[in-house]
Amino acid sequence: MSAQIISGKEVSAQVRERLRKDVEQMKLKDSNFRPGLVVLQVGDRDDSNLYISMKLKAAAEIGINATHMRLPKTATEEEVLHSIREVNENSSVHGLIVQLPLDSVHKIDTEKVTNAVAPEKDVDGLTSINAGKLSRGDLGDCFIPCTPNGCMELIRQTGVSVAGKRAVVIGRSKIVGAPMHDLLLWSHATVTTCHSKTADLAGEVGKADILVVGIGKAEMVKGEWIKKGAVVIDCGINHILDDTKANGKRVVGDVHYASAKEQAGFITPVPGGVGPMTVAMLMANTVLSAKRFLETHQPGKWDISYTKLNLQKPVPSDIVVSRSCVPKPIDRLAKEVGLLSDEVELYGKTKAKVQLNIIKRLQSQPDGKYVVVTGITPTPLGEGKSTTTIGLVQALGAHMKLNVFACVRQPSQGPTFGIKGGAAGGGYSQVIPMEEFNLHLTGDIHAITAANNLVAAAVDARMFHEATQSDKALYNRLVPLSGGQRKFSPIQIHRLKKLGIDKTDPSTLTEEEITRFARLDIDPSSVTWQRVLDTNDRFLRKITIGQAPTEKGYTREAQFDITVASEIMAVLALTSSLEDMRQRLAKMVVATSRSGQPITTEDLGVSGALTVLMKDAIKPNLMQTLEGTPVFVHAGPFANIAHGNSSILADKIALKLVGPDGFVVTEAGFGADIGMEKFFNIKCRYSGLRPHVVVLVATVRALKMHGGGPTVGIAGCVWNLLPLLHDNIEENGCSNMRKQIENAKHFGVPVVVAVNAFKTDTEAELDLVCSMAKDGGAFDAVRCSHWAEGGAGAMALGQAVQKASDAPSNFKFLYELELPIADKIRIIAQKIYGADDIELLPEAQHKVELYTKQGFGNLPICMAKTHLSLSHEADKKGVPTGFVVPIRDIRASVGAGFLYPLVGTMPTIPGLPTRPCFYDIDLDPETEQVNGLF
């Protein structure tokens, strides 16, 4: 009886259909996901082109996103290796095939090239690592070469059990023979490998229950050698002369098919046997690689290690604590939290930037829980919001084993050299390394400085050139001749459209259109855009610019702000994408024309250049806490003239990374009446995110101050000498805490009060504050000792936050954007500050009318007032009543997207004290260690 034919075409069709369904299932889980395959070819061999076309066709049928990467015959070994490294780093590619042979005019080491492929993408199974794992029997942790894998699939189709059978493999190549031997061996067959030096080959073949032949010699194995009923798998492809064929040749295998099929029980034909299976198994390996990728990169599935603290008492200085802990390599932390290698840009060993393309990868994933940390009205020393933020995430992560991210602002470098203090937290709850955190970090603030000052230079240059040139000369310089013709740039086309001029040929503009296009006609007294510097320098608060003879007497008064006060910083914090940032930068208003029209950076022609300067700053910065939990440090807008919150982008990425059961903890600047109100009404309005919990930080020392005790200051702190009398604290001090709890509850979010304990606080004081917070409407109130104990000292806070995040909430904004400007200001003043009313002073009333006319009336409000009182007067503590909030002026940050009313005078660049911190700061030239910073 003739052997049963094992059709590779039929089996491969079954395999492909199964793979197609597998890919469909992947897409159901994530509509944006597709397995990716790259076939890299050097040269243009016809046989290689044929094989590649077969692979691409099979990939398309299954739903694999396959790319053919062609390199010319002139490609060098280094160019080939560079291309492989690029594909290795591309997270959308799960399989990489290097098509052999490499058809180059240069000598290329094939083994070196093959082994350059990342083992996890080596779907051909040819790297030494995959071969080594196969030889050791680690079949579940490697890729099996496609031809042997296809052979095993064909053997399985026969129904013959491999276990216990005698198997003979003829051939020992790395691609077929050697891996085939290993596969059969680990399937429990007794395997003999034969080759050109084997004695009595026919005798060995005659013992085989399973025979696999891949020797490369046409019809070498005769039918009479084969054991009756054996399974015969023929891997050979040979061409022999045949006059009956049109091309004079026909394809045969390594086995004499006609005689062998009379002996064998099962046999593969050539062609149509093993050949189709090779391509099918290549596709199977690609799908397997994609499945492994999805399994190991499930959002929210972290494999993170935490750093154990070595607590000291008394607690050393912040810098000593920071240096006592060795940070994890930042690329390791990135991998632990689910970031892919091509999504991370390393800046040394302890900080990195995260690419925005991660948002697209994770867009279908559910968000985690969102927590904002704020505080009661603080003392000048602050009440430890940053420390509490870091202590909380260390508790949630290192101690409660929950996925958690902290998202915090980048501090200004100016105060670092002026007065003591940073924003990295403190004690055993810090972001590390603190020197990196508080100084240059990755250069975002420097980028903002450059971009801001480019706008300032453009404003004054434009006014100068308009004042010193005729319309025609101005126009000719704005649209210069190039190659004998004038051409508008894309940004100038935008300006023409804004003016209603539907023309693209510079020569067709009328004289009136030329004037309108060329002249912005800026009113110098209306310029609101200032130069910035990230240094404390009081002598730049008011300056005169343009005093050089070359400026021909065109001088004006101006000023410098500190960089974090720049509107570009606020834009960075509120943007949602690179395109959104480009649009926001373009909408920034820098001045008003003499006819009352707002002048934007787009009008100046500088908005595209600003985007270029900011293209790296938009990427969030990744760092870590002392206990090894991840932190995004991104953006640092002022909390008075801006909204005082870290970036929307960092929050959004973090919420996807932590998964639905994880937490993202961010901090709002100053007290709840300022930072938290702006977090809700501005940041959440633009982000679309809805917080689950408010953590309100309180301290005994601040409550004593609000209860009538001396004002806490840097010069001397006597607050700890005051007894916390129940009546006094209830009627005065705790009233401020109760009011801030009420403020949070205006937005429909549960509040957990964190009482940040100091060593001078008594048990009775701490218990009383917790009790009164609960009586005041807090979901819970707990004492915290994270400064001295790290995450362990915030465990109770972490547990309270976790419970509160599951409590019912009904988030709502405080006001509707469509309300008149004055009404929105009044709502904030009355509901949040407790004011009776507001008073618009003449300049503020003028701005209300101007901004309403210019179309900015529907922007949210960002109140600029003192953070030291609920009222506009810093010395009024507790909960002041019976006051009217005076609005001195209103300014517009149109690009960022808010109006900021000025309540009182707001210094926008600090000065240096008599003895600045820089006296103590130096660098050890031997160790390169920064000394004296904190």
Side-chain angles (χ1 to χ4, degrees), residues 269-466:
V270 178
V274 173
M277 291 303 297
T278 299
V279 175
M281 301 321 287
L282 176 62
M283 298 301 117
N285 276 350
T286 303
V287 173
L288 174 61
S289 178
K291 285 181 177 178
R292 288 175 178 171
F293 175 86
L294 286 176
E295 177 64 27
T296 56
H297 294 91
Q298 290 181 29
K301 185 180 179 181
W302 291 8
D303 181 17
I304 186 169
S305 61
Y306 298 105
T307 307
K308 187 173 177 58
L309 295 178
N310 180 23
L311 301 176
Q312 302 291 316
K313 291 188 184 294
V315 177
S317 69
D318 288 350
I319 191 68
V320 170
V321 172
S322 175
R323 287 180 180 159
S324 70
C325 183
V326 178
K328 290 184 286 189
I330 202 67
D331 55 342
R332 177 178 144 199
L333 176 63
K335 185 176 181 181
E336 288 178 342
V337 301
L339 290 163
L340 308 179
S341 58
D342 62 334
E343 294 169 343
V344 178
E345 297 175 10
L346 302 180
Y347 279 65
K349 297 178 180 179
T350 58
K351 53 190 177 180
K353 278 194 168 290
V354 175
Q355 298 270 11
L356 300 189
N357 57 12
I358 188 178
I359 296 173
K360 184 177 180 181
R361 175 169 73 86
L362 299 178
Q363 65 184 357
S364 63
Q365 303 303 323
D367 286 346
K369 306 288 182 66
Y370 197 26
V371 180
V372 60
V373 177
T374 185
I376 63 170
T377 303
T379 68
L381 296 174
E383 308 320 305
K385 291 193 311 296
S386 298
T387 306
T388 301
T389 299
I390 303 307
L392 174 57
V393 298
Q394 290 181 168
L396 289 167
H399 298 271
M400 297 171 64
K401 309 305 179 190
L402 297 168
N403 293 349
V404 62
F405 246 100
C407 292
V408 299
R409 289 185 291 168
Q410 179 183 353
S412 169
Q413 188 174 273
T416 299
F417 294 100
I419 59 171
K420 287 284 186 184
Y428 285 103
S429 294
Q430 293 187 49
V431 181
I432 58 170
M434 67 179 307
E435 305 98 310
E436 299 284 356
F437 180 91
N438 285 297
L439 294 176
H440 303 283
L441 198 56
T442 57
D444 294 352
I445 291 181
H446 301 319
I448 292 166
T449 303
N452 184 98
N453 292 343
L454 180 61
V455 175
V459 169
D460 287 302
R462 186 60 175 262
M463 288 193 295
F464 173 77
H465 291 304
E466 288 189 21

Side-chain angles (χ1 to χ4, degrees), residues 154 198 300 556 661 696 759 766 800 901:
L154 292 172
T198 300
R556 69 180 182 90
D661 297 322
L696 183 73
K759 61 184 178 181
L766 295 169

Side-chain angles (χ1 to χ4, degrees), residues 55 97 122-126 143-153 175-176 179 183 274-275 277-286:
K55 294 167 184 174
I97 303 165
D122 173 30
V123 291
D124 258 337
L126 299 181
F143 286 111
I144 299 166
C146 301
T147 299
N149 205 5
C151 292
M152 289 300 295
E153 185 66 29
I175 297 175
V176 180
L183 277 175
V274 173
M277 291 303 297
T278 299
V279 175
M281 301 321 287
L282 176 62
M283 298 301 117
N285 276 350
T286 303

